Amino acid sequence: MSLLKRLLAWFRPDTSRPLTQAWLAALWMGVLANWPLWKQLQTLPGVGIGFTVAFAGMVVVATGAVLSLLAWPRLIKGVLLVLLLGAGALAYFIGSYGIVFDPTMVVNMVQTDMRETRDLLSWKLFTSLLLLGALPAWWLLRRPKAPAQSAGKRLGGNLAGFGLGLVAMVLLALSVFATLSSTMRNNKSIRYMVTPLNAVYSVSSVGVRSLSGPKGPPAVIGADAHLLPRAEGAKPPLLLLVVGETARSMNFSLNGYARPTNPELARLPVVSLRNVTSCGTATAASLPCMFAPQGRAGFDADKPQENLLDVLQRAGLAVLWLDNQSGCKGLCDRVPNSFTAKLPDGAAPLPAGLCHQDDLEGAECFDESLLHELDKRIAALDPERLKRGLVLVMHQMGSHGPAYFKRSPDDLKPFLPECRSNQLQDCERQQVVNGYDNTIATTDRLLARSIAWLQTQSSRFDAGMLYVSDHGESLGENGLYLHGMPYAMAPAEQTHVPMVLWVPEGGALAASLKPGCLAALRDKPASHDNLFHTAMGWVGARADVYKPEWDLLAGCRT
């Protein structure tokens, strides 16, 4: 009878015990919240049901082992509440968009704003949160208080749970070792799909880096920054840097795309570089890297330093950052900066058609608002610096998804029907592409009108424009949507970005370049590594960090 009671206890465990709660939650999250992972495994060659079951067992016991260490009465319910709700959200995003949750994604999440967050909300997300997170959390909170137990005995039980979990994980791994090793080696993204361990690792990694990182002001770079002397009577330079968002090179008709996504730029003397790669696959990774002198291979995000804007300002130039997105990721903290919705004193209000007027979290404006009252914004800058030159940065909302239909105005939707939902996986793929291509056409019009504005400055400045996107986007290829994949495994759709140069004929810069040299750059490999040095060379700034071999125009100068 005693043996029978013990066997029945395994099937009817005391759910008031923290250790029991930890393992039941591990079973729930490991099996149910990882449905996108089980679906993904079944698409891989050589992976059958047997391996999937063994892998699921590994996920459960590994999660149970970790939670065993946290199985204390005053701690476990709070931990499990957060993990269950997080697992419900991750199951939705991984299953819907094919994303992975790694440290870079944590940084993206922390740095996003309410507009971007709103675009990701849906009833499917709330359903996933309810079924996979809120319901088990409600059940957990209703469990009675744990029976009294000495700290030593509870610690012993927790360590036993941890040890048994590790042993079980090792045994399961050994049982499918050949398939496991090849699968993990050839599909590295899987490790970031294991919920909630991916979240625990990624959040912990970002937290440790944040706490252990250097404190104080960013390291100074280009302390010797200066401007080269200009010829007598030469106009000061004006470089417009347009930082695109989520534009991929393969959807630019300038680069061979079959659809006319760049009709206005096609009529202008621009040079579009067709073989450009990004620093990262998300804004938080790419922006700091592309404005740094080291290039992707040498850039360390954990070591704060000054950037291109600091160096140009130290050289004596006027610098202005205009933002129509979620911020500059710290790049513009030490230079004049503003958001499109924050107008200078005496400026005319933004036209109604430029902004969505029904936004609860503040107006979201189309990128064309970056040009609104631009002359007044510039007039507010230091006039002595303006005499030496101006670098103006426009940070777009661009093609940010998943609500692509919000990024193009009603009068500029040449490709219809478009997906009118943030549930991209529920739309026909052609509708998703249509909505995305409309955003590229909108960027095309912004760049053309930016060039038109630059031409109005020709009496004061030797003006030019450099446009480059921060990263690309997946539009359903191989089941992936959006961006943010770890760089080593990211598809070309997320790393192959457009770059467009406009150097007007008759200007001092154009006169200094060899005939036909700019056009020869079209098919040469380039990357975000070139931005820092090309911008410095463009405006005649020099410092010890300047590398002429990374300046795209250096080889063209006579």
Side-chain angles (χ1 to χ4, degrees):
M1 182 65 68
S2 176
L3 178 61
L4 179 61
K5 288 183 177 180
R6 290 186 178 184
L7 290 174
L8 289 175
W10 280 97
F11 295 97
R12 297 184 61 186
D14 182 359
T15 57
S16 67
R17 297 177 60 211
L19 191 60
T20 302
Q21 295 168 5
W23 277 88
L24 288 175
L27 180 64
W28 178 274
M29 292 184 289
V31 174
L32 298 181
N34 278 289
W35 68 263
L37 175 57
W38 314 141
K39 181 180 177 182
Q40 176 68 16
L41 285 178
Q42 293 308 300
T43 67
L44 302 179
V47 174
I49 295 296
F51 173 79
T52 302
V53 171
F55 196 81
M58 291 172 59
V59 172
V60 170
V61 297
T63 305
V66 172
L67 293 178
S68 293
L69 299 178
L70 305 174
W72 297 88
R74 295 184 179 181
L75 179 63
I76 190 63
K77 286 187 177 181
V79 169
L80 294 182
L81 178 63
V82 172
L83 290 180
L84 285 166
L85 293 175
L90 288 175
Y92 165 77
F93 286 114
I94 295 174
S96 297
Y97 300 115
I99 65 169
V100 296
F101 196 80
D102 65 341
T104 300
M105 192 62 71
V106 175
V107 175
N108 294 337
M109 181 178 67
V110 170
Q111 295 185 357
T112 193
D113 63 9
M114 287 303 300
R115 293 181 301 177
E116 295 176 2
T117 301
R118 184 186 58 237
D119 286 348
L120 294 170
L121 301 180
S122 69
W123 286 111
K124 287 189 175 182
L125 170 59
F126 292 129
T127 300
S128 183
L129 281 171
L130 174 65
L131 297 180
L132 295 177
L135 285 181
W138 175 79
W139 176 88
L140 175 70
L141 294 175
R142 288 172 55 85
R143 295 308 92 201
K145 185 178 179 181
Q149 191 176 30
S150 69
K153 190 172 182 181
R154 196 177 299 279
L155 176 61
N158 292 354
L159 291 176
F162 175 74
L164 289 173
L166 290 185
V167 170
M169 184 177 67
V170 170
L171 292 176
L172 286 167
L174 291 175
S175 69
V176 291
F177 182 76
T179 305
L180 177 66
S181 60
S182 63
T183 299
M184 298 303 288
R185 183 174 60 251
N186 297 324
N187 303 275
K188 295 181 180 179
S189 62
I190 286 177
R191 69 190 67 180
Y192 294 116
M193 296 178 67
V194 179
T195 301
L197 295 180
N198 55 352
V200 173
Y201 165 77
S202 298
V203 172
S204 301
S205 176
V206 172
V208 169
R209 277 171 20 201
S210 176
L211 293 174
S212 61
K215 303 298 185 290
V220 174
I221 63 171
D224 63 332
H226 60 280
L227 296 175
L228 297 176
R230 288 201 308 269
E232 184 85 24
K235 299 172 188 175
L238 190 171
L239 172 59
L240 172 60
L241 282 177
V242 182
V243 180
E245 168 66 37
T246 321
R248 61 188 208 174
S249 179
M250 59 194 68
N251 286 62
F252 266 52
S253 56
L254 290 177
N255 297 337
Y257 189 48
R259 308 178 92 179
T261 52
N262 303 125
E264 297 198 39
L265 287 179
R267 294 191 291 267
L268 296 171
V270 299
V271 175
S272 180
L273 278 62
R274 302 167 180 169
N275 190 15
V276 181
T277 53
S278 65
C279 269
T281 61
T283 305
S286 280
L287 268 189
C289 176
M290 64 200 288
F291 278 76
Q294 296 93 339
R296 193 178 75 84
F299 179 70
D300 187 349
D302 295 330
K303 296 180 179 179
Q305 64 174 18
E306 294 180 344
N307 61 79
L308 172 66
L309 305 184
D310 296 293
V311 176
L312 295 175
Q313 184 167 255
R314 183 174 293 118
L317 296 169
V319 179
L320 175 61
W321 178 290
L322 292 180
D323 209 291
N324 193 39
Q325 229 231 68
S326 59
C328 65
K329 315 306 179 188
L331 293 176
C332 64
D333 289 352
R334 294 168 297 278
V335 302
N337 63 85
S338 183
F339 283 86
T340 52
K342 185 179 180 181
L343 297 172
D345 294 338
L350 284 161
L354 278 184
C355 302
H356 303 294
Q357 298 298 319
D358 56 348
D359 289 326
L360 298 179
E361 300 296 337
E364 176 180 334
C365 300
F366 296 115
D367 285 328
E368 199 171 324
S369 61
L370 289 163
L371 296 170
H372 182 68
E373 297 285 26
L374 195 49
D375 291 333
K376 288 186 178 179
R377 294 186 188 273
I378 293 173
L381 299 175
D382 184 342
E384 292 303 314
R385 289 183 174 275
L386 285 172
K387 291 177 183 179
R388 304 185 194 104
L390 168 63
V391 175
L392 171 63
V393 185
M394 292 181 176
H395 186 203
Q396 288 184 266
M397 177 60 84
S399 303
H400 201 289
Y404 304 124
F405 65 96
K406 290 185 178 181
R407 310 284 103 89
S408 59
D410 290 338
D411 68 333
L412 191 56
K413 292 184 181 293
F415 309 108
L416 295 172
E418 67 177 357
C419 179
R420 302 285 298 180
S421 168
N422 60 2
Q423 300 291 293
L424 300 179
Q425 69 280 5
D426 292 343
C427 292
E428 293 183 10
R429 185 171 182 276
Q430 189 56 55
Q431 294 182 7
V432 174
V433 174
N434 287 346
Y436 182 83
D437 284 349
N438 288 335
T439 70
I440 301 298
T442 302
T443 291
D444 174 73
R445 185 163 77 178
L446 169 71
L447 296 180
R449 293 187 176 182
S450 296
I451 291 173
W453 173 80
L454 287 170
Q455 290 172 329
T456 69
Q457 305 298 306
S458 60
S459 62
R460 297 177 59 196
F461 296 102
D462 181 28
M465 184 192 75
L466 191 159
Y467 161 83
V468 63
S469 183
D470 58 352
H471 55 77
E473 184 88 327
S474 290
L475 299 177
E477 297 89 357
N478 300 313
L480 294 179
Y481 292 91
L482 305 183
H483 52 268
M485 288 289 289
Y487 198 90
M489 59 191 75
E493 289 85 1
Q494 296 188 26
T495 60
H496 188 194
V497 295
M499 179 183 284
V500 178
L501 309 178
W502 178 71
V503 180
E505 296 181 5
L509 178 59
S512 71
L513 303 179
K514 300 172 186 176
C517 189
L518 276 181
L521 295 175
R522 293 183 191 276
D523 295 307
K524 289 186 176 181
S527 72
H528 280 167
D529 295 359
N530 300 113
L531 178 64
F532 183 102
H533 308 277
T534 301
M536 286 196 67
W538 195 309
V539 297
R542 294 294 185 270
D544 57 355
V545 290
Y546 170 70
K547 296 182 180 180
E549 64 272 21
W550 285 8
D551 180 349
L552 290 171
L553 303 182
C556 288
R557 293 190 181 94
T558 56

